[in-house]
Amino acid sequence: MLITDRKQSRLPLINAVKLALKGGVNTIQLREKDLPTKDIYSLACELRAITHDLNASLIINDRVDIVLAANADGVHLGWQSMPVNSVRNLIGFERIIGISAHNLQEALQARDSGADYITYCPIFKTPSKEGVVEPTGTEAIRELKEKIKIPIIALGGITVDNAESVMTSGADGIAVVSSVLKSDNPENTAQRLCSIIRHYSKMPG
């Protein structure tokens, strides 16, 4: 999963997204919280067309109205978002609901609320969470996998250099922001990350 942040992207965001998708990214999460609704909707529609053409999923951060208006594949919620059951009533069971979790309690709440997946973060030190949430480390993924069966997408400070340790800890996938968007070659970085994910996803156990 590539989570957008146009302020971190070296290239125009749409260009970076296209390259990431060509490199193997299969889900884009649109997360541009400071944009006006009109601009988020416009960007969502553009990303919907791109992801549709490249057989990828589009998830919208928090904005259920944009999910419906742009016909996205799902929504990603935080703990200040609408309740999951209310969101489910609006978007139905065809669409995906993901939830951010930063510790075991939040992960269990997400599971029990009916989330389809969680992002678990931050695994490693990352500027966006520094001073707010302490890194969990990869061992936390292993412990979490023993307790919940929905997919765990690891997030936070993940790079080509440490992605292997994340996947061997049991993560079902990874989500990134800066490692792809700040890359000189987003397509190549995405390819390398996706290769690691595919390798460990195919391994037994």
Side-chain angles (χ1 to χ4, degrees), residues 138 141-142 162-171 196 199-201 203 205:
T138 55
I141 302 171
R142 200 182 310 276
N162 59 29
E164 182 175 353
S165 67
V166 173
M167 293 303 297
T168 56
S169 296
I196 294 168
H199 175 75
Y200 287 98
S201 295
M203 294 183 68

Side-chain angles (χ1 to χ4, degrees), residues 12-136:
L13 182 61
I14 292 297
N15 293 9
V17 167
K18 286 179 179 177
L19 289 170
L21 290 169
K22 287 180 180 178
V25 168
N26 61 15
T27 303
I28 302 296
Q29 183 189 143
L30 174 57
R31 187 181 188 273
E32 303 289 340
K33 291 189 173 185
D34 62 329
L35 279 180
T37 296
K38 182 179 179 181
D39 294 341
I40 294 179
Y41 171 66
S42 177
L43 184 54
C45 289
E46 195 169 359
L47 290 173
R48 172 73 291 180
I50 295 166
T51 52
H52 184 269
D53 288 344
L54 294 172
N55 296 314
S57 299
L58 175 63
I59 305 294
I60 308 295
N61 186 273
D62 202 43
R63 295 292 300 270
V64 178
D65 55 339
I66 302 294
V67 172
L68 295 171
N71 194 28
D73 297 294
V75 64
H76 190 88
L77 304 174
W79 293 106
Q80 293 182 325
S81 302
M82 290 173 59
V84 174
N85 59 344
S86 299
V87 173
R88 185 66 77 190
N89 287 337
L90 289 168
I91 70 171
F93 286 90
E94 297 289 314
R95 290 185 169 95
I96 300 165
I97 297 178
I99 295 181
S100 298
H102 307 91
N103 53 51
L104 176 59
Q105 181 182 359
E106 289 182 358
L108 294 175
Q109 287 176 351
R111 176 200 65 185
D112 295 343
S113 71
D116 295 300
Y117 74 89
I118 65 165
T119 56
Y120 197 61
C121 69
I123 305 302
F124 304 112
K125 188 176 180 180
T126 177
S128 64
K129 297 291 184 181
E130 194 166 2
V132 180
V133 183
E134 286 297 310
T136 67

Side-chain angles (χ1 to χ4, degrees), residues 125-159:
K125 188 176 180 180
T126 177
S128 64
K129 297 291 184 181
E130 194 166 2
V132 180
V133 183
E134 286 297 310
T136 67
T138 55
E139 187 58 34
I141 302 171
R142 200 182 310 276
E143 295 170 0
L144 193 57
K145 284 295 290 184
E146 295 175 359
K147 295 180 171 63
I148 73 171
K149 301 305 178 188
I150 61 174
I152 299 169
I153 309 301
L155 169 65
I158 300 172
T159 66

